[in-house]
């Protein structure tokens, strides 16, 4: 299991939408995930090296009721970038959050960008 990176971001105000710096890009391991705490909300960040792309998705696994999605394996499944839950192996689309096996399950995905080597997540409330 990868170490869980917990970065506590102190709130400076009650904006509805804001870009929140989470960590530097170099802190993200290739093709793997870390957990980040943004305004008390757990978000899993994944860096896909081949695409040079960062995905941000809720870290909470609704099936196991545990914050473990950041420990999941990412990969291309039938043309979709997905993360597999490390516990029961449901697959979630990293762009939409949709669970491929259970249509009623969808994780929240977060807009994410790289700004001067800093990973920023667009926070819009929990
Ligand atoms: S309000 Fe700016 S980091 Fe939270």
């Amino acid at each position: 299991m990868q170490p869980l990176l917990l970065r506590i971001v102190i709130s400076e105000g009650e904006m509805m939408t804001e870009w929140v710096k989470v960590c530097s890009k170099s802190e993200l391991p290739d093709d793997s995930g870390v957990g980040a705490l943004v305004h008390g909300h757990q978000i899993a960040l994944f860096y896909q090296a081949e695409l040079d792309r960062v995905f941000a998705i809720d870290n909470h696994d609704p099936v196991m009721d545990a914050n473990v999605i950041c420990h999941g394996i990412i990969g291309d499944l039938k043309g979709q970038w997905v993360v597999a839950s490390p516990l029961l192996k449901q697959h979630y689309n990293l762009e939409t959050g949709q669970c491929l096996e259970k249509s009623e399950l969808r994780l929240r995905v977060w807009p994410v960008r790289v700004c001067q080597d800093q990973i920023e997540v667009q926070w819009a409330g929990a």
Side-chain angles (χ1 to χ4, degrees):
M1 288 230 178
Q2 307 91 341
L4 184 66
L5 173 72
L6 288 179
R7 179 64 49 90
I8 298 172
V9 179
I10 305 299
S11 181
E12 295 166 350
E14 291 299 318
M15 296 168 64
M16 287 303 290
T17 300
E18 58 171 331
W19 288 98
V20 177
K21 287 190 179 70
V22 178
C23 61
S24 69
K25 191 178 169 193
S26 58
E27 289 181 90
L28 297 182
D30 286 4
D31 305 315
S32 193
V34 297
L37 197 60
V38 179
H39 293 316
H41 191 85
Q42 288 214 19
I43 295 176
L45 298 173
F46 293 95
Y47 175 60
Q48 210 293 326
E50 192 183 333
L51 301 176
D52 189 28
R53 182 164 172 196
V54 180
F55 297 97
I57 192 167
D58 265 358
N59 195 32
H60 187 255
D61 180 338
V63 177
M64 293 304 293
D65 192 20
N67 292 315
V68 294
I69 293 296
C70 65
H71 297 300
I73 305 285
I74 61 170
D76 182 335
L77 186 63
K78 300 174 189 162
Q80 300 183 58
W81 281 98
V82 298
V83 55
S85 164
L87 298 176
L88 294 177
K89 309 298 181 203
Q90 288 88 12
H91 297 92
Y92 295 93
N93 184 305
L94 285 167
E95 292 173 302
T96 66
Q98 180 62 52
C99 177
L100 273 53
E101 290 81 16
K102 292 177 183 259
S103 61
E104 71 274 21
L105 293 181
R106 181 187 285 260
L107 301 184
R108 185 170 180 179
V109 292
W110 298 82
V112 60
R113 70 183 183 187
V114 183
C115 187
Q116 295 177 333
D117 201 49
Q118 293 292 306
I119 304 296
E120 298 184 355
V121 169
Q122 189 176 40
W123 174 256

